[in-house]
Amino acid sequence: GESVGLHLPTLSVQEGDNSIINCAYSNSASDYFIWYKQESGKGPQFIIDIRSNMDKRQGQRVTVLLNKTVKHLSLQIAATQPGDSAVYFCAEALDTGRRALTFGSGTRLQVQP
Amino acid sequence: KAGVTQTPRYLIKTRGQQVTLSCSPISGHRSVSWYQQTPGQGLQFLFEYFSETQRNKGNFPGRFSGRQFSNSRSEMNVSTLELGDSALYLCASSPGGVYQETQYFGPGTRLLVL
């Protein structure tokens, strides 16, 4: 069943292309940032995270970039595959105080075969 | 390791009833957080439990409550259900260390209030 917003921004890419999903976060004091992927009917799946003392982190086919000056986070997916089609959420959190993830509204990625 | 499990996966209730949802965290994880996901509001934090104590709470009315057991399993309860409580309720677990850590989500419980 559908579990995400009906009017999400959508990024449509061709299979094999690189994808870049952007996120503007809200709290300049956030210490920790994370990207999740959510497929229809499932819970969010961890992709990659980054702490505020870093500006880049790489995983398998994914890279997260953090620009604290403009409060911007991006997720780069290399050689996008049809299985990457999903809704992607960024989330931010503080290390102290309220230890809750604050989620962005999400971006739908559609990969055309 | 087994992932986060949630039961039941689907529920249908009527207005005014109450409901209890269950979450079993990843083995060894001591922190359990609950989130509500709706198309209109997105993913919103409900509360977090650690060592059987509520450590953090989001901005939800008192009808939403939870608890955690000594084995770290958690339950959340919603009393006097309203139509607007229809949502996907997600549970996430993390080790529960000093600093913010990756939270791993379960598949969720989809609640429909009629």
Side-chain angles (χ1 to χ4, degrees):
Chain A
E2 191 58 58
S3 58
V4 294
L6 298 175
H7 302 291
L8 293 173
T10 298
L11 174 65
S12 187
V13 301
Q14 291 293 125
E15 181 178 358
D17 286 352
N18 296 333
S19 304
I20 300 176
I21 301 172
N22 296 304
C23 172
Y25 63 91
S26 58
N27 189 347
S28 58
S30 289
D31 301 294
Y32 176 78
F33 305 87
I34 189 166
W35 281 98
Y36 286 98
K37 168 187 178 183
Q38 188 173 29
E39 297 171 288
S40 184
K42 297 183 178 180
Q45 176 188 349
F46 168 77
I47 300 173
I48 192 168
D49 58 2
I50 189 169
R51 301 204 67 85
S52 59
N53 59 352
M54 304 171 69
D55 53 23
K56 180 179 180 179
R57 191 166 187 215
Q58 289 183 288
Q60 186 177 12
R61 282 202 307 121
V62 294
T63 300
V64 56
L65 298 177
L66 174 63
N67 185 332
K68 294 182 286 293
T69 303
V70 294
K71 295 193 293 184
H72 183 267
L73 198 64
S74 69
L75 176 70
Q76 300 177 0
I77 304 174
T80 314
Q81 302 167 359
D84 294 327
S85 294
V87 176
Y88 288 79
F89 293 95
C90 67
E92 59 183 301
L94 297 167
D95 271 337
T96 56
R98 188 161 173 272
R99 291 164 51 100
L101 293 173
T102 299
F103 282 83
S105 55
T107 297
R108 187 182 306 279
L109 176 65
Q110 292 180 341
V111 182
Q112 309 298 328
Chain B
K1 276 187 183 178
V4 177
T5 58
Q6 293 187 245
T7 57
R9 292 294 312 278
Y10 304 93
L11 265 179
I12 299 176
K13 293 284 187 180
T14 55
R15 278 184 301 174
Q17 288 186 310
Q18 75 165 12
V19 67
T20 299
L21 313 181
S22 181
C23 171
S24 292
I26 292 171
S27 178
H29 284 191
R30 298 169 63 194
S31 170
V32 174
S33 296
W34 289 89
Y35 293 82
Q36 181 197 65
Q37 186 174 30
T38 60
Q41 300 298 317
L43 277 148
Q44 294 187 290
F45 172 73
L46 282 155
F47 30 66
E48 181 214 5
Y49 285 86
F50 176 78
S51 291
E52 302 178 64
T53 302
Q54 188 180 85
R55 187 158 68 170
N56 285 287
K57 188 177 188 304
N59 299 320
F60 279 80
R63 300 185 297 109
F64 292 82
S65 63
R67 59 177 176 167
Q68 187 180 35
F69 302 94
S70 58
N71 61 357
S72 295
R73 189 177 69 86
S74 177
E75 290 181 345
M76 69 162 282
N77 184 77
V78 188
S79 62
T80 320
L81 284 165
E82 300 176 0
L83 295 179
D85 296 333
S86 294
L88 181 68
Y89 289 88
L90 292 157
C91 162
S93 77
S94 64
V98 174
Y99 298 107
Q100 189 60 253
E101 310 150 307
T102 304
Q103 294 186 21
Y104 296 92
F105 283 84
T109 294
R110 180 162 296 284
L111 172 65
L112 177 61
V113 181
L114 302 176

